Amino acid sequence: MIDRLPLPAQFDRLIIVGGVAVGLVMTPILFVLLALLIGDQITAAELVFWLAFTVIVAGASGTVLLNNIVHAALSLIATLLGVAAVYLLLATEFIALVQILVYGGGVVILLIFGLMMTNAQDDPVVTDGSQKPFAAIVGVLLAGVFLAAVIDAEWGSETMTVVPFRDFGARLFRDFIVPVIIVGVLLDIALSGAIVNARASRIEDVDADETTSEASS
Amino acid sequence: MIPIENFLILSSLLFAMGLYGVLARRSAILILMSIELMLAAVSINFIAFATYLDGEAFSGLVFALFVITVAAAEVGLALGIVLRLFRERRTAYVDAADSLKW
Amino acid sequence: MGIDLVGMEDVWILPAIPFAVFILVSFFGRLIPRNGDFIAVLGMALVVLLVGLVLVDFQGAFHDEVFAPIAGANTYSFDWIDIGDGFFVIEFSTYVDAVTMVMLPVVSFVSLMVLVYSIGYMKGEARYGWYFAALSFFVAAMLLLVISGNLLQLYLAWEGVGLASYLLIGFYWERQSAAEAAKKAFITTRIGDVGLLIGIILLWRVTGTFDIQEIIHAAEEGVFGQTYLTVAMLFLFAGAAGKSAQFPFHVWLPDAMEGPTPVSALIHAATMVVAGVYLVARMLPVYDEVLIARDVVLYVGLITALMAATMGLVATDIKRVLAFSTVSQLGFMFAALGVGALTAAMFHLFTHAFFKSLLFLGSGSVIHATEQQEVGELGGLRKKMPITALTFTIGSLALAGIPVFAGFWSKDEILHDLQHYGPFAAYVILAVTAALTAIYTTRLVLLTFFGKPKNEQAYEHAHESPPIMTGPLVILAVLALVVGFITYQGVGESLGFVGGIGELVYLPHHGPHVFKLDIAFAAVATATAVVGVAIGIMYWWGDARRAIAAQSWAPELHQLLVRRYYLDELYQGVINHVVLGAAAVVAWFDKRVVNETGVDGSTQFVGFLGYRFKFLQTGRIPHYVLGMALGVAALAVVAIGTT
């Protein structure tokens, strides 16, 4: 069994390649930002923001562009951690923590399990009828529209309202108790649905599964 | 003090990239990941608006929390569906789910 | 006022009774013993009773020998349809005056007689219950027609009697000829009915009301233009001529004899066919304003009377002879109306209803007994069927215009009025027609009841009809004998009524029409009738040798009459070439342009589009998602572009 698990070697290479890539991209940016910080061009918060910005954009690009599915998953983790940093910058520590816990700890693990159970198929190279050009058009169009709207708008207020941790919890369970309960029920139902969907519904299915997977392997 | 536009620009880019991923990818798992990107973009927007524009700064936070929760549920459910698809079609590519036109 | 249980304002109840009977018998007839025929008869008897009460109330409304009811005492109305809060109101209204009071007893009494008679005549028929239901429906519509206070309601009832007529002519619809005749009757009268509707709309356009009295009032005040009113009244007369089988619409009535004989007696002799006369009589004050239209009524009446009488001379079917006679007598009435002689026309309508329904019922008795309708198969029946023969003869004498019998008085009155108010030629034509009437009536009686039986088998088979049939015959025969001089003058007065019909029915601006029996004039009329009868006896007595000789003397003329002046062929030709030709054009347009290009074309276009674009439906989710995203992007671009 062990010799059929190629993961360690892959991960070694992955970590090395990924680390080098991240270092190559991040180091100049970090230096530029540090220089700006020292020159009092930006504040520390802005430094962190731009770092997070870089991580998120780079990670998201990796997620949607890399053909290797494991690389894409790792990029996703980086992106989500960057998003958690953005939450911190917005003075919502609780959400940031939840983000790390749920995404980093839950969702991504689930996804990695999912891709392992589906033989970790990489994204295929589609030669006929690829949607990528259309997808790029739509993405660029929508991004343009959003950016135009954001830049064009008068946002007014430049002050941040900070909600203390304690108040957040108190109000969540006082004013939003019903939605919280409903979300709990929703999670329950989703979980049940996931189980029902994922398990082999009939014995014959399981048999067929095993025989075909043996045949294919 | 970071202006709100910065966060909004970030979320716009993130959302557009997620959408690109959803449209361009063929592997169901990768599409799920792209959806997560879009959801993260939405959450950033919610929280930015709540913090900067809402005097109470609360509803947006709750929404972000719920988005995260629902995203978790969605991933669980969607993975179940992907597994089902994989078992039926021996592949996790969404092209395999073509029985809408029989 | 006398008994005021049911007064003139309550006449709406009269059509309600037979209509209720119709509903009851047609829907639940199977559940009722005898299919509910007794309900129809009892309902009709009740109507006759109520008409009597209304008559008493009507008598009470006379003051100083003038019909002057308390305001509103002879009308009843409520808003039936109100569109736009008073913008367009259709009323249900009833109106009772002398003309109505002539019609009501005729319709109700003849209906009762026919219903009683039908119990015997229709015995054992299939659809026995349906027959009584349909007859009740007819009576309801007819009563509604004569009490209508406004034209739209009258039109409704008008179509109602038309429908009943259609149903009853086609009662034996298994028979091809009956179905054809029903269709012919319906379509022919319908052509006239369209005219009637146009006329009604034309009158409404100017006055904004359907109320008959208001329209008459407006016409007398000169609200209408002369030409406009002439056109409107001619359209109205087209409806009347269609319903009353006047030239050129007369072709349907002889064929309508395909229906059961009692139906012919009621609908196609006594009541429905006089609806046209009633309509013109009702609107006569308006016709008096436009003399051109009134003259048209006169000429149509004259042409019809003469033409139908000549056709009656050669018809061999006993019922068709009577049908031609009916058309001819209706022509008399229209001719009288054409010179403004309302009294004479209504008087003739009144008497004619009794003796003509008597004749039809008598012929029905003959047909019932022998199952033969052709006079060539009958003969000598007076020995076998004495009551029928006697009553039939009385009716015939009344029709021929022999003194004392009802027809004499009314026909004499029409001739008298024509001589006084009309052109002399009109009088001559009607006098000749009266003579012809006497001739063909005599011929009919002789061929049917006298001479030697021509069909021994039918003769052997013949028997007198049961009492339930002869009873109405006897009653109607008595009435045919006396109704003329009772209503003519004096006798009614002594019975407690106001007086002769002349003091009841008259145009307001003419004043009461007091009959004076002009001895010389009556003598001429009597002589005409007697000569007619004599000629009839001369030609058709015994084995009718002279008649056959006359036939071979002018075969073309005989053929012309037998073929009814080739009018049916003419109409058929017009239909074949003109109507069907136009229909073919329309059909072509409908088929090619509307159907194949419009309907099929649009579906084929949609199908073509679907065929062309079905490649878009790949069934693959990414394609659908892409489409959705493209749509969202497009919407976003539009949104940002517009703000």
Side-chain angles (χ1 to χ4, degrees), chain C residues 547-590:
Chain C
I548 293 160
Q551 191 176 317
S552 54
W553 172 66
E556 293 86 0
L557 182 64
H558 179 256
Q559 197 60 20
L560 180 71
L561 296 178
V562 169
R563 302 294 289 274
R564 308 179 199 167
Y565 296 95
Y566 296 100
L567 278 175
D568 287 276
E569 281 83 353
L570 177 67
Y571 291 170
Q572 192 63 49
V574 169
I575 290 169
N576 282 350
H577 294 107
V578 180
V579 178
L580 290 185
V585 173
V586 174
W588 178 86
F589 184 82
D590 180 60

Side-chain angles (χ1 to χ4, degrees), chain C residues 75-160:
Chain C
T75 60
Y76 171 80
S77 74
F78 64 87
D79 287 355
W80 183 24
I81 299 171
D82 185 347
I83 299 168
D85 204 17
F87 168 70
F88 180 74
V89 180
I90 299 172
E91 285 185 329
F92 178 92
S93 57
T94 68
Y95 178 83
V96 177
D97 68 355
V99 177
T100 318
M101 279 325 296
V102 174
M103 295 300 289
L104 278 180
V106 168
V107 173
S108 56
F109 189 76
V110 175
S111 299
L112 179 63
M113 287 299 111
V114 168
L115 280 170
V116 171
Y117 178 90
S118 297
I119 292 174
Y121 186 83
M122 298 302 287
K123 190 176 177 187
E125 290 279 356
R127 302 193 290 278
Y128 180 77
W130 166 241
Y131 173 83
F132 281 92
L135 218 52
S136 295
F137 175 77
F138 167 76
V139 177
M142 191 67 208
L143 287 170
L144 182 66
L145 198 159
V146 298
I147 64 169
S148 286
N150 68 65
L151 285 173
L152 211 63
Q153 185 188 338
L154 182 140
Y155 185 75
L156 174 80
W158 189 274
E159 295 299 342

Side-chain angles (χ1 to χ4, degrees), chain B residues 22-23 94-95 97-101, chain C residues 617 619-622 624-626 629:
Chain B
V22 168
L23 297 179
V94 285
D95 286 2
D98 60 352
S99 42
L100 267 184
K101 189 179 82 172
Chain C
Q617 294 295 329
R620 297 181 173 208
I621 290 170
Y624 297 126
V625 176
L626 177 65

Side-chain angles (χ1 to χ4, degrees), chain C residues 240-257:
Chain C
K243 199 58 100 187
S244 291
Q246 294 299 291
F247 176 83
F249 299 112
H250 63 276
V251 291
W252 68 269
L253 190 59
D255 287 349
M257 297 303 133

Side-chain angles (χ1 to χ4, degrees), chain C residues 253-475:
Chain C
L253 190 59
D255 287 349
M257 297 303 133
E258 291 288 347
T261 308
V263 168
S264 309
L266 178 59
I267 300 183
H268 306 119
T271 55
M272 188 191 85
V273 288
V274 301
V277 179
Y278 167 78
L279 177 67
V280 176
R282 173 59 80 208
M283 302 302 283
L284 198 58
V286 186
Y287 278 104
D288 274 352
E289 301 295 320
V290 279
L291 291 176
I292 297 171
R294 213 183 72 177
D295 284 345
V296 171
V297 176
L298 169 67
Y299 295 132
V300 167
L302 289 175
I303 293 169
T304 314
L306 184 60
M307 216 166 97
T310 53
M311 289 190 277
L313 277 176
V314 298
T316 51
D317 182 318
I318 180 167
K319 283 177 73 181
R320 275 177 207 236
V321 175
L322 293 174
F324 284 121
S325 150
T326 306
V327 175
S328 175
Q329 297 304 307
L330 290 168
F332 269 81
M333 296 174 210
F334 276 110
L337 289 172
V339 294
L342 175 68
T343 314
M346 291 311 286
F347 188 22
H348 195 54
L349 188 158
F350 187 69
T351 56
H352 173 257
F354 291 113
F355 65 71
K356 187 52 66 67
S357 58
L358 166 65
L359 285 171
F360 266 109
L361 293 183
S363 74
S365 181
V366 170
I367 295 164
H368 191 66
T370 62
E371 288 168 9
Q372 294 293 337
Q373 297 197 13
E374 293 292 317
V375 286
E377 304 289 332
L378 301 168
L381 286 173
R382 71 177 191 282
K383 288 166 198 139
K384 285 270 189 174
M385 311 175 70
I387 301 173
T388 306
L390 181 62
T391 53
F392 194 92
T393 308
I394 291 173
S396 300
L397 292 174
L399 174 59
I402 300 299
V404 181
F405 296 99
F408 164 74
W409 307 97
S410 55
K411 205 176 279 182
D412 181 62
E413 202 51 43
I414 288 179
L415 290 171
H416 187 265
D417 282 347
L418 268 174
Q419 194 203 17
H420 273 260
Y421 305 117
F424 185 68
Y427 165 71
V428 172
I429 289 172
L430 275 201
V432 170
T433 308
L436 287 173
T437 309
I439 294 173
Y440 68 69
T441 315
T442 312
R443 165 179 178 261
L444 186 62
V445 173
L446 291 179
L447 288 179
T448 309
F449 294 104
F450 292 85
K452 290 196 184 74
K454 274 150 269 179
N455 183 332
E456 288 294 341
Q457 200 182 349
Y459 182 78
E460 290 303 319
H461 184 66
H463 56 85
E464 184 55 280
S465 299
I468 198 142
M469 287 166 70
T470 51
L473 286 179
V474 172
I475 295 173

Side-chain angles (χ1 to χ4, degrees), chain C residues 34-49:
Chain C
R34 299 183 56 84
N35 285 341
D37 59 353
F38 62 94
I39 298 178
V41 172
L42 290 180
M44 211 54 238
L46 181 62
V47 170
V48 171
L49 190 72

